[in-house]
Amino acid sequence: MYPKKQLAQLVISACQYYNIDKVVISPGSRNAPLTIGFSNLDEVETFSIVDERAAAFFALGIAQQTKKPVAIVCTSGSALLNYYPAIAEAFYSKIPLLVITADRPKHLIDIGDGQTIRQENVFQNHILYSANLIEEDSKVAFNKTEVSNAIEECVFNSGPVHINVPFNEPIYETVEVMESFNFRKYKESPSVQTVNYDELSEIWNASKRKIVLVGVYNKCEKTQNLINTLAEDPSVLIMTETTSNLYHDNSINSIDKLISKLSTEEFEELQPELLITFGGMVVSKRIKQFLRKYQPKHHWHIDEYKEMDTYFCLSEYIKEKPVQFFDELLEKTIVVDSDYQENWVREKRSRNEKHEVFTKETQYSDFKVTEKVLDTIPNNAQVQVSNSSLIRYMQLFDVNSTFSVFCNRGTSGIDGSTSTAIGAAFASDKPTTLLTGDLSFFYDSNALWNSYIPNDFRIIIMNNSGGGIFKIIPGPKSTNALQYFETPHQLTANHLAEMFNFEYEKATSLEELEEKLVGFYEHSEKPKILEVFTPSEINDQVLKEYFNSL
């Protein structure tokens, strides 16, 4: 059973042709031709998720893991506006998301007809391509070109695209056979820029203080081997974050731990002559402040999709994959004699010793809970992390190098962390644990309204009764409006867990936490939630004492 609408057949056929094999559908009437068509294709896996915001983040989580476009389909009107947070995240995190929205015909827009808004180009500020199709027999060639352009942009530039599909009534008529459409083959991918490796190698060889800073990055053996090679150069200081998924004994894997409480003289000693960056967004605010104030002579950013001048001193944008760039560069470079890496690795180890002392002595708090939870997650797990304070706490610890860590750092929002984690858990063969704060969890509670959650999915909620981040960052506590920043509450996840068929446990002390973590990751017939209640009145003070102890 297929839709009679030719335009729906065209869009569905294009998705078949370009191997779009996962489609997340939210219920509605105007998208009926698309729903009927996709759900009747054996080669397409379809999902039904009611809440469009949750649906879009769920699809984003799948695409995050598969690195292939995932389509989302919704009805007309305000439905598609709920996609926007996930679209913005996909745009800045470079995740391929194919957004297909049903629309009313143009003659019904702005005349008082129901469920109609101005849908064309509605995502234009955060979209790679907007294809506004036309439901006329004479426009088949135009529509085919637009759909092809959109899907190819989604694939080649790894980001969200929007296909807006207007349908006149009737919309529920069906046929047994779809029309055949011919689509062009993929256009050749754009040529890579020419890089002057001779000039860059001269700068490299003349620099005795080099920082290689990596933001969000998927675990990759080739890139890990690159990090291992770079670490052999004493003039290179490698800085990675938890979300970089790269590790080395001589790398700075906890940036804030190293650079907090440095003197002006020490900052000047740390200031690089050459800064090389790759990967996605960087969590550490301290490193951004440092590099903007103590700017390098040269900053090269390597990214095959987008230029990023995060530190306001970009001198060279290299549109290339990092491994390929360094393979070429290192053939022309020499190992520079320097004590730069040695000095700062020594400082790192000194601070790690102080970290261990503080961690053993500190009281029950967000900080202590983070340490205990990270110690108990099984090897080779996928760890999804919500934004705000939790991802910052994680940066302070040596995270198990077998983990694959993900966080929605494109826009750093709390709005879809749980939905993304569920999509990622569904798409991954690794058991997945979501570490989330209370506000992030409750804000996205519709994520649990989902029939595709694996039984080995685990959620650990750090419930400090409000947005703890607003006690940590400077500013909010100095005002008389903290309650509006922090939004204190007495909510628990107990009834949500029951409603959505999760096993539920809670802990209110370190002893209880240790007890509940025993067996938490063992096989079960349901996914599980562990809610850990921490003392909101001391969490920020403990963190302040931690940095002072360094």
Side-chain angles (χ1 to χ4, degrees):
M1 184 181 291
Y2 301 109
K4 186 176 181 181
K5 290 283 185 186
Q6 183 192 62
L7 187 56
Q9 292 185 18
L10 186 151
V11 172
I12 293 162
S13 297
C15 289
Q16 281 184 289
Y17 179 81
Y18 290 107
N19 298 314
I20 310 299
D21 59 4
K22 289 181 173 56
V23 180
V24 181
I25 301 170
S26 292
S29 185
R30 190 59 49 163
N31 58 333
L34 297 167
T35 300
I36 293 166
F38 281 122
S39 63
N40 277 280
L41 292 177
D42 291 338
E43 62 268 40
V44 173
E45 189 172 11
T46 52
F47 309 84
S48 176
I49 296 181
V50 174
D51 184 320
E52 284 87 4
R53 188 180 73 189
F57 276 108
F58 174 77
L60 184 142
I62 296 175
Q64 175 199 84
Q65 296 299 306
T66 62
K67 302 177 182 63
K68 289 178 54 182
V70 176
I72 51 178
V73 175
C74 73
T75 190
S76 65
S78 60
L80 70 154
L81 299 182
N82 292 293
Y83 281 163
Y84 214 149
I87 289 171
E89 178 62 34
F91 182 78
Y92 287 109
S93 288
K94 306 181 194 105
I95 294 175
L97 204 58
L98 181 60
V99 182
I100 306 174
T101 61
D103 198 359
R104 305 283 170 128
K106 274 193 174 182
H107 69 271
L108 294 180
I109 309 299
D110 288 340
I111 65 162
D113 203 53
Q115 216 167 336
T116 60
I117 64 171
R118 301 170 189 176
Q119 292 186 197
E120 292 188 356
N121 306 314
V122 72
F123 306 120
Q124 62 182 348
N125 287 336
H126 300 94
I127 207 82
L128 297 182
Y129 195 91
S130 293
N132 298 300
L133 307 188
I134 301 171
E135 192 184 20
E136 292 179 14
D137 291 345
S138 61
K139 296 295 183 180
V140 170
F142 168 83
N143 290 331
K144 281 173 30 178
T145 299
E146 283 295 281
V147 171
S148 294
N149 287 344
I151 296 177
E152 288 179 4
E153 190 74 19
C154 184
V155 172
F156 286 132
N157 288 315
S158 194
V161 297
H162 178 206
I163 301 174
N164 193 58
V165 195
F167 294 124
N168 276 295
E169 292 184 349
I171 52 179
Y172 286 94
E173 293 182 314
T174 61
V175 293
E176 293 183 3
V177 179
M178 285 206 298
E179 187 177 335
S180 178
F181 297 91
N182 294 318
F183 295 93
R184 68 175 185 232
K185 294 181 179 179
Y186 275 123
K187 294 184 294 187
E188 290 185 13
S189 83
S191 58
V192 178
Q193 72 178 99
T194 302
V195 179
N196 189 336
Y197 286 101
D198 290 330
E199 182 180 316
L200 296 183
S201 63
E202 287 180 11
I203 295 172
W204 175 281
N205 293 336
S207 303
K208 291 194 172 185
R209 299 195 307 272
K210 298 185 273 282
I211 287 179
V212 175
L213 173 60
V214 190
V216 172
Y217 206 81
N218 283 1
K219 188 177 282 292
C220 168
E221 184 179 353
K222 288 183 178 179
T223 312
Q224 182 61 59
N225 291 336
L226 167 64
I227 294 298
N228 298 342
T229 300
L230 291 173
E232 295 174 2
D233 189 325
S235 69
V236 176
L237 186 63
I238 299 164
M239 290 188 169
T240 61
E241 295 200 301
T242 303
T243 50
S244 299
N245 292 297
L246 297 168
Y247 304 89
H248 194 280
D249 287 345
N250 288 349
S251 71
I252 307 303
N253 57 335
S254 181
I255 297 171
D256 286 1
K257 192 195 301 183
L258 177 76
I259 69 173
S260 63
K261 305 297 182 180
L262 290 182
S263 65
T264 300
E265 182 181 353
E266 288 170 320
F267 275 130
E268 289 172 350
E269 291 174 1
L270 180 60
Q271 181 179 13
E273 298 165 282
L274 171 61
L275 169 68
I276 304 178
T277 57
F278 65 90
M281 301 293 188
V282 170
V283 176
S284 172
K285 188 174 182 179
R286 284 182 171 90
I287 194 64
K288 293 173 191 172
Q289 292 171 332
F290 162 64
L291 290 170
R292 288 168 183 172
K293 184 175 181 179
Y294 298 89
Q295 293 185 341
K297 294 177 184 177
H298 309 278
H299 172 205
W300 307 341
H301 183 64
I302 310 160
D303 191 292
E304 59 183 312
Y305 300 117
K306 191 175 182 181
E307 180 176 334
M308 296 278 279
D309 188 11
T310 305
Y311 309 102
F312 311 143
C313 57
L314 185 68
S315 55
E316 195 79 31
Y317 166 55
I318 297 142
K319 189 180 174 68
E320 182 62 276
K321 293 180 178 179
V323 172
Q324 292 176 353
F325 166 76
F326 277 105
D327 280 349
E328 293 281 347
L329 178 72
L330 294 179
E331 286 185 1
K332 298 177 179 290
T333 62
I334 59 174
V335 174
V336 179
D337 185 32
S338 170
D339 60 2
Y340 185 57
Q341 182 190 114
E342 180 185 359
N343 289 342
W344 289 105
V345 170
R346 186 188 309 119
E347 179 65 21
K348 163 195 167 177
R349 288 171 181 158
S350 170
R351 296 198 171 207
N352 280 350
E353 290 173 4
K354 295 173 183 176
H355 170 98
E356 292 300 322
V357 171
F358 180 88
T359 303
K360 286 178 181 177
E361 296 176 351
T362 194
Q363 58 193 307
Y364 180 71
S365 59
D366 285 354
F367 182 94
K368 189 67 177 176
V369 168
T370 303
E371 180 218 15
K372 183 57 63 178
V373 166
L374 290 175
D375 281 346
T376 58
I377 298 173
N379 287 343
N380 301 307
Q382 177 183 173
V383 181
Q384 294 275 335
V385 192
S386 73
N387 279 299
S388 267
S389 56
L390 241 175
I391 188 62
R392 289 169 172 82
Y393 276 114
M394 275 190 74
Q395 306 282 14
L396 304 177
F397 294 89
D398 292 336
V399 173
N400 186 326
S401 63
T402 70
F403 293 170
S404 297
V405 182
F406 297 90
C407 180
N408 284 347
R409 292 306 297 176
T411 58
S412 306
I414 69 167
D415 35 13
S417 298
T418 309
S419 296
T420 302
I422 292 172
F426 176 86
S428 175
D429 57 1
K430 295 182 177 181
T432 300
T433 297
L434 168 64
L435 306 182
T436 180
D438 49 326
L439 289 193
S440 193
F441 174 78
F442 291 122
Y443 194 90
D444 192 25
S445 59
N446 263 1
L448 306 186
W449 191 2
N450 185 309
S451 302
Y452 314 100
I453 304 175
N455 287 337
D456 62 1
F457 183 59
R458 301 290 182 264
I459 301 177
I460 297 178
I461 306 167
M462 192 181 294
N463 190 335
N464 50 29
S465 304
I469 187 69
F470 293 106
K471 285 183 177 177
I472 295 172
I473 61 175
K477 281 185 73 173
S478 66
T479 74
N480 63 357
L482 180 60
Q483 63 175 313
Y484 298 102
F485 294 104
E486 190 187 16
T487 57
H489 65 85
Q490 299 300 319
L491 300 175
T492 77
N494 190 6
H495 294 296
L496 280 171
E498 183 180 359
M499 181 166 69
F500 291 113
N501 203 29
F502 274 68
E503 290 185 19
Y504 175 83
E505 296 280 0
K506 71 174 183 178
T508 58
S509 67
L510 187 60
E511 295 72 26
E512 268 193 314
L513 176 61
E514 290 173 341
E515 177 190 335
K516 300 299 184 184
L517 284 170
V518 175
F520 182 66
Y521 297 101
E522 292 178 359
H523 173 76
S524 64
E525 299 302 318
K526 298 179 182 179
K528 297 180 183 180
I529 291 174
L530 173 58
E531 189 167 18
V532 187
F533 295 89
T534 63
S536 61
E537 65 278 2
I538 68 164
N539 284 323
D540 59 313
Q541 186 60 38
V542 169
L543 190 61
K544 184 178 179 180
E545 290 170 359
Y546 169 75
F547 282 114
N548 287 336
S549 77
L550 297 175

